[in-house]
């Protein structure tokens, strides 16, 4: 977008709410400097060393971040481990091409292939490949920066920023992120929200010469070299935001939220076991979504039964009598897993993913079902299947689960079949929800909005079309909620809409009484419901 005030104020889109005031830093992703070229043997050894160094960096970042961040970086790790992918590069080096030129040429071809793909998901992968290209090139040139050299509390500006570069920045002293492109639904935006880093996207052209900046993630504005008057106004906005947050924290400790005289159950989503350590998690009514894909990110292969059982049992112990809903592997789509997911799908978001994938790999699925069946006797466990389209898929999953329980019991192992539900994220399931014999329903608003609007949620240029408050999306949410209310089936919503205060009134007015949010959003959503209960907007 164009600047609003003499090239110093810019308007974008909010990706993560918050405020930052500090040095303005532009991040150039292009490697700089040069290196001496040696013999083909020297060049091969140099590239292998650079690949190993880059791999260690990425694995360290993934291990430190865990959860979705680790899944995002797994794609780069898989490329570095793919000898078929690297073969042509080493062949070019043996023919006399310098290591960096051979590497960059091979990766540029991959980037071009991704950019020319008809599928938006594959196009988005080009930034991951470009990030890997530049990381290895920096290593070849002797770059050893484990962490980007960013001043304390800086407002970082970039054309776009891949997840690994975001994770390299030390955000412990605050700061903010301003992207000229990007999307509120991107992987980096997810990471920023999880860490409380204010972020705005789609700013367009921004001046490169500023010394300081103000970033208002609530108003989606970036002000460069602000005047004292602008700084004063910014500080007042930031202070009001802090007071609102403090008020939300006070409300968090109160009894359950209510709306129109009905109790609203607020649960939390967790990406990994460590998320239950968030200070606000203790105030949740339970866990509405435990993702299990974090178990697939290790380099030692697919997780065994004991590893999975230990993770599930620890969360159930923490929850006590509160319900814990664990989702079976939702791999595929934007979560490739070497050795498990399908390779070369033309459109992965519409491909073999979620329950479809698990049913194709019953050997992998049975291991998870056995671990869940054992955990089912340890607490208030519910299990749900993702990406369900037909009732037959649910029944096929139920049959495998029952078989796993029977096998365990025949072995003398305590096991139970927990209540089974489905993620309602495929429009076909929402439109025929009465045909599913599910113990409970959980609406996945991210994929539901994506499929209803035919918009890739990672594509920033389509952000307006994929607005979760789209009437068609709200219609399907209301339809599922009404079905649950009529039949006494529990219905919750665990997508990003649940943690977005702009959507709270619309969700409650359409009959939802259970919302599952990230732990960091729990206080704000409870405060929003409290405000609505005292006479706020009803839609």
């Amino acid at each position: 977008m164009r600047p609003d005030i003499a090239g110093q104020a810019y308007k974008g889109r909010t990706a993560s709410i918050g405020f930052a005031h500090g040095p303005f830093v532009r991040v150039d992703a292009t490697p700089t400097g040069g290196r001496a070229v040696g013999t083909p043997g020297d060049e091969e050894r140099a590239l292998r060393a650079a690949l190993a160094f880059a791999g260690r960096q990425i694995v360290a970042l993934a291990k430190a971040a865990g959860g979705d961040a680790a899944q995002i970086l797994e794609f780069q790790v898989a490329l570095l481990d793919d000898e078929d992918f690297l073969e042509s590069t080493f062949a070019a080096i043996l023919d006399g091409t310098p290591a960096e030129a051979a590497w960059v040429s091979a990766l540029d071809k991959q980037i071009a292939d991704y950019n020319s793909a008809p599928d938006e998901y594959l196009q988005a992968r080009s930034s991951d490949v470009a990030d890997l290209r530049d990381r290895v090139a920096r290593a070849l040139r002797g770059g050893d920066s484990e962490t980007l050299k960013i001043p304390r509390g800086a407002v970082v500006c970039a054309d776009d920023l891949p997840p690994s570069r975001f994770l390299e920045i030390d955000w412990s002293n605050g700061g903010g992120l301003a992207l000229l492109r990007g999307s509120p639904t991107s992987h980096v935006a997810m990471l920023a929200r999880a860490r409380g880093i204010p972020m705005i996207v789609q700013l367009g052209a921004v001046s490169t010469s500023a010394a300081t900046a103000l970033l208002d993630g609530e108003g989606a504005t970036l002000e460069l070299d602000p005047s004292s008057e602008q700084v004063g106004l910014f500080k007042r906005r930031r202070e009001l935001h802090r007071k609102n947050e403090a008020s939300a924290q006070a409300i968090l400790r109160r009894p359950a939220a209510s709306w129109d005289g009905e109790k609203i159950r607020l649960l939390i989503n967790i990406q990994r076991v460590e998320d239950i350590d968030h200070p606000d998690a203790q105030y949740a009514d339970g866990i509405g979504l435990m993702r299990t894909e974090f178990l697939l990110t290790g380099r030692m292969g697919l997780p065994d039964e004991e590893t999975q059982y230990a993770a599930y049992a620890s969360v159930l112990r923490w929850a006590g009598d509160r319900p814990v809903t664990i989702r079976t592997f939702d791999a595929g789509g934007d979560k490739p897993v070497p050795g498990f997911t399908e390779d070369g799908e033309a459109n992965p978001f519409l491909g073999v993913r979620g329950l479809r994938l698990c049913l194709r790999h019953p050997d992998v699925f049975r291991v998870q079902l056995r671990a869940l069946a054992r955990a089912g006797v340890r607490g208030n466990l519910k299990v749900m299947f993702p990406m369900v389209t037909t009732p037959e898929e649910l029944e096929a999953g139920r049959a495998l689960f029952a078989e796993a329980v029977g096998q365990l019991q025949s072995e003398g192992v305590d096991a139970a079949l927990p209540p089974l539900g489905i993620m309602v994220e495929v429009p076909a399931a929402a439109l025929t929800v009465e045909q599913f014999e599910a113990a409970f329903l959980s609406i996945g608003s991210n994929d539901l909005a994506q499929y209803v609007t035919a918009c890739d949620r990672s594509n920033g240029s389509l952000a307006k079309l994929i607005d979760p408050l789209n009437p068609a999306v709200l219609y399907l949410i209301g339809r599922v909620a009404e079905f649950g209310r009529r039949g006494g089936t529990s219905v919750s919503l665990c997508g990003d809409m649940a943690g977005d205060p702009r959507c709270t009134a619309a969700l409650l007015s359409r009959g939802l009484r259970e919302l599952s949010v990230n732990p960091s959003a729990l206080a704000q959503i409870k405060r929003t419901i409290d405000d609505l209960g005292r006479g706020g907007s009803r839609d």
Side-chain angles (χ1 to χ4, degrees):
M1 297 188 181
R2 292 184 177 180
D4 298 319
I5 305 173
Q8 293 299 299
Y10 303 82
K11 180 75 172 178
R13 289 176 61 83
T14 295
S16 179
I17 293 175
F19 295 79
H21 177 200
F24 180 69
V25 178
R26 287 295 295 261
V27 174
D28 182 5
T30 304
T32 58
R35 59 180 293 274
V37 177
T39 67
D42 292 335
E43 292 298 283
E44 180 182 355
R45 285 188 291 273
L47 180 57
R48 289 197 181 279
L51 293 171
F53 179 77
R56 289 194 297 272
Q57 284 186 320
I58 297 169
V59 169
L61 287 170
K63 183 177 180 180
D68 278 357
Q71 296 164 33
I72 293 165
L73 296 178
E74 186 68 29
F75 174 74
Q76 294 186 357
V77 174
L79 283 180
L80 289 174
D81 288 342
D82 189 344
E83 286 296 329
D84 291 336
F85 170 73
L86 298 172
E87 183 179 2
S88 63
T89 302
F90 286 114
I93 291 174
L94 291 177
D95 285 341
T97 305
E100 184 174 348
W103 170 255
V104 170
S105 175
L107 272 289
D108 281 347
K109 182 180 183 303
Q110 291 286 329
I111 292 167
D113 288 345
Y114 278 120
N115 281 329
S116 63
D119 179 57
E120 295 286 356
Y121 162 75
L122 292 176
Q123 292 177 22
R125 275 300 185 196
S126 67
S127 65
D128 290 331
V129 180
D131 177 41
L132 187 61
R133 175 198 63 195
D134 295 339
R135 180 178 294 279
V136 173
R138 283 192 299 273
L140 275 168
R141 297 184 186 193
D144 60 356
S145 58
E146 297 288 347
T147 304
L148 286 173
K149 301 301 188 291
I150 303 295
R152 294 168 60 93
V155 174
V156 178
C157 181
D159 179 50
D160 204 350
L161 198 71
S164 74
R165 299 295 277 168
F166 174 89
L167 292 168
E168 283 183 324
I169 298 172
D170 182 2
W171 298 104
S172 61
N173 295 308
L177 181 59
L179 299 183
L180 310 190
R181 297 188 292 115
S183 165
T185 59
S186 69
H187 286 148
V188 169
M190 260 173 32
L191 295 175
R193 286 192 293 272
R195 288 156 177 75
I197 304 301
M199 174 180 170
I200 54 179
V201 298
Q202 299 174 19
L203 285 162
V206 171
S207 171
T208 61
S209 59
T212 61
L214 305 174
L215 188 149
D216 179 348
E218 196 168 51
T221 58
L222 175 70
E223 296 173 285
L224 302 183
D225 288 333
S227 66
S228 58
E229 181 180 0
Q230 288 174 309
V231 172
L233 289 171
F234 174 86
K235 288 181 176 178
R236 286 193 285 275
R237 293 197 305 271
R238 183 175 61 188
E239 184 58 28
L240 178 60
H241 176 74
R242 286 176 177 170
K243 288 181 178 178
N244 287 338
E245 282 194 324
S247 172
Q249 283 294 319
I251 291 172
L252 181 63
R253 291 162 173 76
R254 296 181 188 172
S258 63
W259 189 82
D260 276 359
E262 292 187 78
K263 177 183 176 181
I264 308 301
R265 290 167 60 84
L266 291 179
L267 306 104
I268 56 171
N269 303 331
I270 62 173
Q271 316 277 358
R272 51 183 179 157
V273 174
E274 292 82 358
D275 290 347
I276 59 179
D277 295 330
H278 190 286
D280 291 352
Q282 61 183 306
Y283 301 106
D285 292 319
I287 294 175
L289 168 62
M290 178 181 175
R291 298 176 171 92
T292 57
E293 294 77 51
F294 75 95
L295 292 163
L296 300 171
T297 60
R299 304 190 76 184
M300 302 302 292
L302 297 171
D304 61 22
E305 182 180 323
E306 288 303 320
T307 298
Q308 294 190 55
Y309 170 72
Y312 308 148
S314 65
V315 173
L316 287 162
R317 282 195 301 272
W318 173 86
D321 294 334
R322 291 174 293 178
V324 173
T325 300
I326 298 179
R327 184 179 70 187
T328 56
F329 294 139
D330 189 20
D334 59 346
K335 306 166 197 165
V337 179
F340 184 32
T341 54
E342 305 282 319
D343 293 328
E345 287 188 303
N347 194 335
F349 273 120
L350 300 179
V352 182
R353 54 176 297 206
L355 183 60
R356 303 170 184 176
L357 178 67
C358 288
L359 292 175
R360 283 204 182 185
H361 295 274
D363 53 333
V364 175
F365 199 22
R366 285 192 183 96
V367 175
Q368 182 174 42
L369 297 179
R370 282 175 61 93
L372 288 167
R374 290 169 57 193
V377 300
R378 306 299 178 194
N380 188 357
L381 174 66
K382 302 193 292 182
V383 173
M384 65 179 171
F385 299 141
M387 277 297 290
V388 179
T389 305
T390 68
E392 289 76 17
E393 290 175 309
L394 169 60
E395 296 313 313
R398 191 194 312 274
L400 282 174
F401 213 153
E403 178 186 307
V405 171
Q407 185 180 48
L408 285 165
Q409 290 175 343
S410 69
E411 297 169 2
V413 178
D414 287 343
L417 183 67
L420 298 181
I422 65 170
M423 290 278 287
V424 181
E425 49 195 339
V426 177
L431 290 167
T432 60
V433 65
E434 62 279 351
Q435 297 180 15
F436 291 83
E437 294 187 14
F440 64 95
L441 306 166
S442 181
I443 300 171
S445 60
N446 297 353
D447 273 330
L448 183 64
Q450 175 172 242
Y451 296 137
V452 168
T453 61
C455 292
D456 176 6
R457 55 190 170 98
S458 67
N459 188 334
S461 65
L462 302 176
K464 290 184 180 178
L465 291 176
I466 201 174
D467 187 333
L469 293 175
N470 181 294
V473 177
L474 291 175
Y475 166 76
L476 290 181
I477 290 172
R479 189 181 192 283
V480 175
E482 177 58 25
F483 165 77
R485 185 175 287 267
R486 289 198 315 268
T489 301
S490 169
V491 179
S492 65
L493 188 143
C494 61
D496 283 348
M497 283 183 76
D500 187 343
R502 298 175 305 133
C503 302
T504 305
L507 296 176
L508 297 180
S509 68
R510 280 157 181 81
L512 282 170
R513 295 296 179 264
E514 286 190 18
L515 302 175
S516 192
V517 305
N518 291 332
S520 59
L522 192 63
Q524 182 59 56
I525 296 303
K526 193 166 185 178
R527 180 181 186 275
T528 301
I529 296 171
D530 186 73
D531 288 343
L532 291 170
R534 290 187 285 107
S537 170
R538 284 291 195 263
D539 201 4

